Amino acid sequence: MHCLIVRHGQSKNNALATGLAARIDGGEINRNDKDALWLEGRFDDPPVTALGQQQSDALARYFREFNGEDEALEVARKHGVKLYCSPMRRTCQTVAPLMTALNESCTVLPHIYEVGGVYTTFKDKNGVRKRVGPGKSLSNDDIKKIHRKFDTEYLPSSGGWYSGKWEMNPEGRMRAARVAKWLKSPELAKEVGNRLLVLVSHSHFMDMLLKQLMGITDDSSRDSTSRNNHDYNSAIFTNPTGTCLLRIENNTTIMRWHNRTFHYQYINHSKL
């Protein structure tokens, strides 16, 4: 089975983090300042930015128009695709142009969300912001307003899909292990057949999932009880809408490429 794992397009939270990192590099703020400003300014479930929308449109155009050599496109054009995505707003917005370009539905899976979940924050008695869940998440109706062909059968029938607490890194790793087991299962292989499985997810969760699939031990020595410290660990990082192609056969995973962004050639920067 060929599996293409895709990170979502740039979100407003990503843009906020990039701006804060630049302020650290410039000596304007320190790491503790960044964490406080991040929690103050972030969205519970952010949308994509204008750049993130362009990245998502570019990926869809690449699938539709690219004529060069590409193993994933070859499988997709010969056998079709099976689309899955996380229920978070940014992943739904990322896969929607691809759904339109390919005229395909997309199954929304509640267990491939970003590490941490949909959480919000509150200030403790010392004025320090703390993470807590759940934050405000999308409902079935919200998701289908993004694209009518989303399949939301695995989500709750009413209300927001996320009802958990803020998820810490060890819990994220256990969830990634379950998803890796599902991706390697003969049942999924039979369901997908020769089609290209496309999974639209998130950077930190992709890091954990790829390590599970490839048999790489994730370094938990710097896990924090107050943040999901993806940037502190030895991470398999993926750029917004970057793709990772895997071949999964007989419980063996072969990485064909990682963090490919050939579709960026279709981004019109003059419109940003």
Side-chain angles (χ1 to χ4, degrees):
M1 180 180 72
H2 284 80
C3 176
L4 189 74
I5 306 181
V6 184
R7 185 188 174 189
H8 59 80
Q10 185 198 57
S11 73
K12 289 194 172 182
N13 283 2
N14 296 149
L16 172 63
T18 299
L20 292 173
R23 293 174 68 185
I24 289 179
D25 291 342
E28 182 183 347
I29 60 175
N30 61 34
R31 176 74 199 206
N32 289 334
D33 294 332
K34 175 184 179 287
D35 291 339
L37 290 168
W38 158 257
L39 291 177
E40 186 74 38
R42 67 176 292 278
F43 293 78
D44 291 2
D45 187 17
V48 295
T49 61
L51 174 58
Q53 187 62 58
Q54 283 248 25
Q55 291 164 342
S56 305
D57 292 340
L59 181 64
R61 183 178 172 187
Y62 182 84
F63 262 77
R64 188 175 63 247
E65 298 182 10
F66 185 70
N67 291 320
E69 185 176 333
D70 187 296
E71 185 176 348
L73 291 188
E74 182 180 340
V75 173
R77 289 168 181 170
K78 186 175 182 179
H79 301 290
V81 300
K82 175 64 176 174
L83 302 176
Y84 294 98
C85 79
S86 149
M88 287 179 153
R89 187 185 303 272
R90 55 201 183 273
T91 39
C92 292
Q93 290 176 325
T94 297
V95 76
L98 189 59
M99 295 166 66
T100 298
L102 301 178
N103 192 28
E104 290 283 350
S105 63
C106 178
T107 301
V108 184
L109 296 179
H111 51 286
I112 61 171
Y113 58 87
E114 180 60 303
V115 179
V118 183
Y119 65 88
T120 189
T121 64
F122 74 98
K123 285 186 176 181
D124 65 14
K125 62 182 180 181
N126 297 316
V128 177
R129 284 200 172 270
K130 304 289 186 181
R131 293 166 169 83
V132 65
K136 181 174 174 53
S137 59
L138 298 178
S139 66
N140 275 349
D141 289 343
D142 294 329
I143 291 173
K144 290 185 176 179
K145 286 177 183 176
I146 297 173
H147 200 293
R148 63 182 179 81
K149 294 188 74 172
F150 276 116
D151 179 355
T152 58
E153 66 172 312
Y154 296 112
L155 303 185
S157 58
S158 62
W161 68 270
Y162 190 80
S163 59
K165 61 183 181 63
W166 167 58
E167 179 189 63
M168 297 174 66
N169 283 9
E171 297 162 317
R173 286 190 192 94
M174 289 189 289
R175 182 163 52 86
R178 294 193 296 270
V179 174
K181 183 178 180 180
W182 168 70
L183 285 171
K184 291 182 175 182
S185 69
E187 293 81 10
L188 180 65
K190 182 178 180 180
E191 178 185 348
V192 173
N194 291 324
R195 290 178 293 176
L196 174 69
L197 188 158
V198 180
L199 192 77
V200 184
S201 190
H202 306 264
S203 179
H204 196 173
F205 187 69
M206 285 176 65
D207 169 60
M208 291 184 173
L209 178 60
L210 289 171
K211 287 172 180 172
Q212 289 286 339
L213 288 167
M214 301 297 295
I216 301 170
T217 300
D218 193 23
D219 176 17
S220 61
S221 64
R222 299 188 68 177
D223 278 356
S224 169
T225 58
S226 62
R227 65 172 68 95
N228 300 113
N229 49 335
H230 175 38
D231 53 345
Y232 288 166
N233 293 339
S234 178
I236 303 174
F237 181 77
T238 310
N239 286 318
T241 62
T243 66
C244 176
L245 181 64
L246 306 172
R247 287 196 66 178
I248 303 173
E249 296 178 0
N250 300 321
N251 208 38
T252 299
T253 302
I254 301 171
M255 185 179 289
R256 302 292 288 163
W257 71 64
H258 175 65
N259 203 21
R260 182 175 284 187
T261 55
F262 289 176
H263 57 283
Y264 279 14
Q265 64 187 287
Y266 296 117
I267 294 175
N268 186 349
H269 293 278
S270 67
K271 293 185 176 181
L272 297 175

